[in-house]
Amino acid sequence: MIDHDRLLTRAFPPVEQVYDHRDSILYALGLGIGSDPLDPAALRVTYERAPDFAALPTMVVVLGSSGFWAMEPDTGITWQQLLHGEQAITLHAPLPPAGRLTGRTRITGIVDKGPGRGALIYSERSLTDTATGRLIATIEVTSFARADGGFGGPAGPVKTPQATPERAPDAVYEHATLPQSALIYRLSGDPNPLHADPGVARGAGFDRPILHGLCSYGVAGWSILQATGGGGDPARLTALSARFSSPVFPGETLRTEIWRQGPGGEGAEDYAFRTRVPARDVTVLSHGRARLAVPPRRTEPGRPTEGSAR
């Protein structure tokens, strides 16, 4: 059973991680980027000799992580029933394509939804440059502990999700994942056999391995960058949040629908989005929100050859 005070004050040792251009490229390839060898936007994140080579901002989700700490017996969490509910990132500075970062994790809130209704666990990870201490990113995770409600903890506060507009989207971008996407993406730091072993997948109720939710999340970030101009510059994306609604199977095409919400602060615009699998008529990422720096007026958007935008 969860001990609210003990879990809320749980100490996590800092995690230092060194990564290089190979890791940045591998992450991009895991998202299925690079199917068109002539696409300059794709080469920017998959070829280290590109003049403007950059890391994708969503890669912060796989850096400096404390791992699957919910499995530790001192947490009181029934980890077999734990779901990744929501993910959010805030970039305070562009992610370098290579470097040494330190991740520091803490639990920021625990909500008891009641017996039979589970619990929400909010955690946060800061990523700083190890040498300078400069804050690069803040990563927030909402986990749903389905079997752990009723421990006598507080019933709130609960985060309010981003509303999805009812009007037609302002832009749409489709991105085809690869049949081997999960096998590639897992090399970036999530070796869960659910994404590779057919037997494990069947035991979990799927007829084949599923794609990592964070891979779909990265695809959404890439799609928003491609559909909103600015030449697909990765540094434009400064915030991204979404709720995981349904699993994706490797090889499926993801359709991200995007709505402009207006100014998001000085030099930035806010967008709402959701990501769907049209072939199954299912939403896989919902209640999405993104913040992007406004591109220079005369910058032409990159060719969306990894998918299609309108």
Side-chain angles (χ1 to χ4, degrees):
M1 178 180 290
I2 289 177
D3 181 325
H4 175 271
D5 293 341
R6 182 178 181 183
L7 185 56
L8 191 63
T9 58
R10 189 179 195 273
F12 296 84
V15 176
E16 188 174 305
Q17 183 167 352
V18 177
Y19 67 102
D20 61 18
H21 68 273
R22 290 174 181 266
D23 299 301
S24 296
I25 292 169
L26 184 64
Y27 174 80
L29 293 175
L31 301 186
I33 298 169
S35 61
D36 180 355
L38 300 180
D39 179 15
L43 288 173
R44 185 173 191 170
V45 296
T46 57
Y47 180 50
E48 73 281 4
R49 293 188 179 182
D52 51 1
F53 178 62
L56 286 167
T58 51
M59 192 174 79
V60 297
V61 301
V62 301
L63 299 174
S65 171
S66 294
F68 193 30
W69 52 265
M71 290 184 66
E72 300 297 327
D74 69 307
T75 66
I77 298 170
T78 308
W79 62 267
Q80 299 91 336
Q81 297 293 316
L82 189 69
L83 294 178
H84 193 166
E86 298 174 335
Q87 181 78 37
I89 61 172
T90 300
L91 276 295
H92 307 284
L95 177 68
R100 183 188 298 266
L101 301 178
T102 299
R104 293 178 174 84
T105 297
R106 66 187 184 102
I107 295 174
T108 58
I110 308 169
V111 174
D112 187 352
K113 296 173 66 69
R117 300 183 60 196
L120 298 175
I121 301 170
Y122 300 115
S123 61
E124 177 185 287
R125 182 167 83 255
S126 64
L127 272 184
T128 58
D129 183 284
T130 304
T132 67
R134 183 187 189 190
L135 181 62
I136 301 296
T138 301
I139 301 101
E140 299 172 273
V141 177
T142 300
S143 300
F144 180 34
R146 292 184 295 174
D148 297 310
F151 57 88
V158 177
K159 295 181 179 180
T160 302
Q162 165 77 38
T164 301
E166 296 184 2
R167 59 185 172 86
D170 297 311
V172 172
Y173 190 89
E174 293 193 348
H175 177 92
T177 65
L178 304 173
Q180 65 270 35
S181 281
L183 295 175
I184 300 172
Y185 186 86
R186 68 191 301 271
L187 300 178
S188 288
D190 188 346
N192 188 333
L194 177 64
H195 307 295
D197 189 323
V200 172
R202 285 192 294 269
F206 302 105
D207 62 0
R208 53 195 163 117
I210 62 174
L211 192 63
H212 304 71
L214 286 177
C215 182
S216 301
Y217 178 86
V219 168
W222 168 259
S223 299
I224 293 166
L225 283 168
Q226 302 313 299
T228 56
D233 179 7
R236 289 184 58 225
L237 182 64
T238 60
L240 187 75
S241 62
R243 175 176 293 179
F244 298 101
S245 302
S246 187
V248 173
F249 295 99
E252 290 188 315
T253 294
L254 299 180
R255 174 188 172 101
T256 298
E257 301 169 343
I258 305 158
W259 292 264
R260 186 178 184 275
Q261 298 290 281
E266 185 176 353
E269 289 182 330
D270 282 345
Y271 296 84
F273 74 92
R274 69 182 173 198
T275 300
R276 307 184 72 255
V277 175
R280 291 190 288 120
D281 192 26
V282 62
T283 297
V284 296
L285 295 176
S286 65
H287 303 89
R289 181 178 181 274
R291 177 165 290 177
L292 288 87
V294 178
R297 276 190 164 187
R298 295 185 180 181
T299 299
E300 294 296 327
R303 296 186 301 114
T305 50
E306 290 301 320
S308 57
R310 64 171 176 84

